[in-house]
Amino acid sequence: GAGVLVRPETTVIREGRRVNMAADLASNGIPFAFMSQAGDGAEWLGLRAVGAVASGLDSGAALGALTINSARMLGISDRVGSLEVGKDGDLLIFNGAPLEATTRLERVFVRGREVPAEKE
């Protein structure tokens, strides 16, 4: 369950070029998960993951960092982190690829029940 926690927006300069740390970890097969730096920071992780994808991170690796990798690192992947029979199953339904900037969240299910959309 070991892995690396990274901020989605973390980049470093290596050999004169900017490197996205999450993309670098993914390309080297190192498990990682995104972290926030504040108690309410989880609210922004999805948007930050979108930025990491825009900076070169594979979208599948980004989704894994937000879901199953995080669960494995916390030792709770037997209950959460992926959609499997017997696991807690919160589900988000988007109108497109989850980590594309133009995609919008359409429906949310928590514990098998749809959460009513907020009125705008």
Side-chain angles (χ1 to χ4, degrees), residues 6-11 20 22 34-36 44-45 48-49 51-52 66:
V6 296
R7 292 189 327 259
E9 69 278 5
T10 301
T11 59
N20 177 314
F34 291 130
M35 63 173 275
S36 64
W44 300 104
L45 285 179
R48 289 183 173 168
L66 291 169

Side-chain angles (χ1 to χ4, degrees), residues 20-86:
N20 177 314
M21 287 304 300
D24 193 47
L25 291 167
S27 69
N28 286 293
I30 300 170
F32 70 96
F34 291 130
M35 63 173 275
S36 64
Q37 292 185 294
D40 61 353
E43 174 182 357
W44 300 104
L45 285 179
L47 186 58
R48 289 183 173 168
V50 168
V53 170
S55 297
L57 178 63
D58 174 77
S59 61
L63 277 175
L66 291 169
T67 57
I68 192 64
N69 290 1
S70 300
R72 285 180 182 139
M73 290 169 68
L74 291 169
I76 58 173
S77 61
D78 61 324
R79 295 190 348 255
V80 298
S82 62
L83 293 176
E84 296 178 51
V85 173

Side-chain angles (χ1 to χ4, degrees), residues 1 4 8 10 12-14 16-17 20 23 33 35 46 48-49 54 58 76 79 82-83 93 104-105 109-111:
V4 178
T10 301
V12 296
I13 303 298
R14 187 181 297 141
R17 58 180 251 259
N20 177 314
M35 63 173 275
R48 289 183 173 168
D58 174 77
I76 58 173
R79 295 190 348 255
S82 62
L83 293 176
I93 299 176
R104 299 289 172 247
L105 179 63
F109 292 83
V110 176
R111 295 187 179 136

